[in-house]
């Protein structure tokens, strides 16, 4: 199979030296790895790295594999084939532990009871590539994913692209009932460099509509949630709306209702919004 020279040069070296990365700890799978073998020999997701589209403090953060089940399904259903991929802009870097099921198994390796296969998913291409080791050596291949699959992955981890006018009106009415005053206007400064004020929609996660509300005070606003710091050129707040009720996003995260993947994507939306207004 053809090697992805540009993209996998560094990754290949890392993969040769280690095969299991969980919470930043890397170990050799043949030397008593902390990733305990599955007695039932069920393939499983053991690490997920969700990369930001921006050079931010979020790069290099791992997600909880138990909250990323969709990735293993997409990878196992994909029809991989030989391909060349250069300079792939990765959104997800994840590893699936495939257990050997006999000499005829595609990932069979006589030197280990399982093989850790590294997968790379790109939204923009959209492509999924993988790198793995077999008895014959390393293999590389890729598949172009359908728009439906990419949409499903995005929806699972991230957001609805936009609210309808009717949905906005429902949120406005709920805010007035609960808060006793009108919700600020939705931001109208859509063009780059335009004014950034009012309410921004950052997506819907687990049924919660995330609202960033910008104030008018001439102070630098900051809020740290789950170790991620949101900043703005004026005072600000982050709310979550669901079924006519409003919650501070910080409170939901502290209660464990939001995983890091959701918060990560909310931060990306915030960064994208700030850059769109010439503030990032």
């Amino acid at each position: 199979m053809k090697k992805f020279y540009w993209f996998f040069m560094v990754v290949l070296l890392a993969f040769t030296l280690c095969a299991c990365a969980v919470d930043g700890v890397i170990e050799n799978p043949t030397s008593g790895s902390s990733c305990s073998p599955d007695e039932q020999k069920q393939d499983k997701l053991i690490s997920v790295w969700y990369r930001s589209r921006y050079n931010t403090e979020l790069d290099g953060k791992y997600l909880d594999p138990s909250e990323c089940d969709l990735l293993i399904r997409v990878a196992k259903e994909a029809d991989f084939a030989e391909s060349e991929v250069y300079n792939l802009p990765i959104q997800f870097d994840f590893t699936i532990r495939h257990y050997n099921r006999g000499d005829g198994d595609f990932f069979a390796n006589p030197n280990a009871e399982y093989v850790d296969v590294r997968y790379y998913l790109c939204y923009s291409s959209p492509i999924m590539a993988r790198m793995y080791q077999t008895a014959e050596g390393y293999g590389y291949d890729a598949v172009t994913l359908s728009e439906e699959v990419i949409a499903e992955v995005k929806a699972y981890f991230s957001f609805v692209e936009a609210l309808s006018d009717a949905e906005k009106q429902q949120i406005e009415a709920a805010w007035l009932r609960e808060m006793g005053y009108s919700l600020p206007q939705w931001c109208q400064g859509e063009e780059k460099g335009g004014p950034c004020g009012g309410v921004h929609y950052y997506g819907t996660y687990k049924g919660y509509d995330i609202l960033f509300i910008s104030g008018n005070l001439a102070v630098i606003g900051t809020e740290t949630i789950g170790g991620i710091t949101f900043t703005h050129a004026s005072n600000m707040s982050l709310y979550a709306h669901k079924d006519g009720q409003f919650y501070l996003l910080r409170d939901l995260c502290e209660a464990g209702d939001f995983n890091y993947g959701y918060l990560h994507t909310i931060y990306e939306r915030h960064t994208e919004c700030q850059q769109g207004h010439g503030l990032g």
Side-chain angles (χ1 to χ4, degrees), residues 28-30 98-100 107-116 133:
N28 189 315
T30 62
H98 293 269
Y99 283 89
N100 294 338
F107 294 116
N109 184 341
N111 299 316
E113 65 173 323
Y114 56 77
V115 176
D116 287 346
Q133 185 177 22

Side-chain angles (χ1 to χ4, degrees), residues 171-193:
I171 292 174
E172 292 167 3
W175 181 275
L176 180 60
R177 287 194 304 269
E178 183 166 338
M179 302 298 187
Y181 59 92
S182 297
L183 183 73
Q185 290 187 347
W186 301 89
C187 180
Q188 302 299 315
E190 301 297 336
E191 296 182 1
K192 184 173 179 60

Side-chain angles (χ1 to χ4, degrees), residues 14-233:
F15 187 82
T16 304
L17 298 175
C18 59
C20 175
V22 178
D23 294 333
V25 178
I26 300 175
E27 299 189 30
N28 189 315
T30 62
S31 61
S33 170
S34 62
C35 295
S36 302
D38 185 342
E39 296 299 330
Q40 296 181 345
K41 299 294 187 292
Q42 296 294 316
D43 294 347
K44 62 182 179 179
L45 198 61
I46 63 171
S47 70
V48 183
W49 185 16
Y50 182 18
R51 303 189 185 189
S52 172
R53 290 172 292 170
Y54 310 98
N55 294 322
T56 72
E57 61 188 272
L58 301 180
D59 285 329
K61 299 291 186 179
Y62 282 89
L63 306 188
D64 183 350
S66 67
E67 298 174 334
C68 305
D69 291 343
L70 178 66
L71 293 178
I72 191 170
R73 198 206 81 201
V74 169
K76 295 183 76 171
E77 290 180 353
D79 186 15
F80 287 94
E82 291 187 36
S83 178
E84 288 187 354
V85 178
Y86 295 105
N87 201 24
L88 184 68
I90 304 169
Q91 189 76 25
F92 287 93
D93 174 348
F94 58 99
T95 302
I96 297 176
R97 177 156 292 174
H98 293 269
Y99 283 89
N100 294 338
R101 297 182 179 85
D103 294 337
D105 186 69
F106 182 71
F107 294 116
N109 184 341
N111 299 316
E113 65 173 323
Y114 56 77
V115 176
D116 287 346
V117 180
R118 209 78 164 269
Y119 292 83
Y120 307 88
L121 187 149
C122 168
Y123 280 170
S124 58
S125 295
I127 287 175
M128 180 181 288
R130 68 184 179 188
M131 178 182 72
Y132 52 90
Q133 185 177 22
T134 68
E136 289 74 32
Y138 284 98
Y140 310 84
D141 43 24
V143 61
T144 298
L145 299 176
S146 68
E147 293 182 1
E148 291 76 16
V149 169
I150 289 297
E152 185 179 7
V153 173
K154 284 185 175 182
Y156 186 89
F157 288 98
S158 54
F159 51 85
V160 177
E161 290 287 350
L163 292 172
S164 66
D165 289 340
E167 289 170 327
K168 289 182 178 180
Q169 291 171 6
Q170 290 175 354
I171 292 174
E172 292 167 3
W175 181 275
L176 180 60
R177 287 194 304 269
E178 183 166 338
M179 302 298 187
Y181 59 92
S182 297
L183 183 73
Q185 290 187 347
W186 301 89
C187 180
Q188 302 299 315
E190 301 297 336
E191 296 182 1
K192 184 173 179 60
C196 181
V199 182
H200 298 262
Y201 168 67
Y202 284 172
T204 298
Y205 313 75
K206 295 182 67 175
Y208 291 97
D209 305 312
I210 305 303
L211 308 177
F212 170 81
I213 302 178
S214 173
N216 297 316
L217 296 179
V219 296
I220 300 298
T222 63
E223 184 166 2
T224 300
I225 304 174
I228 300 174
T229 300
F230 295 78
T231 62
H232 186 56

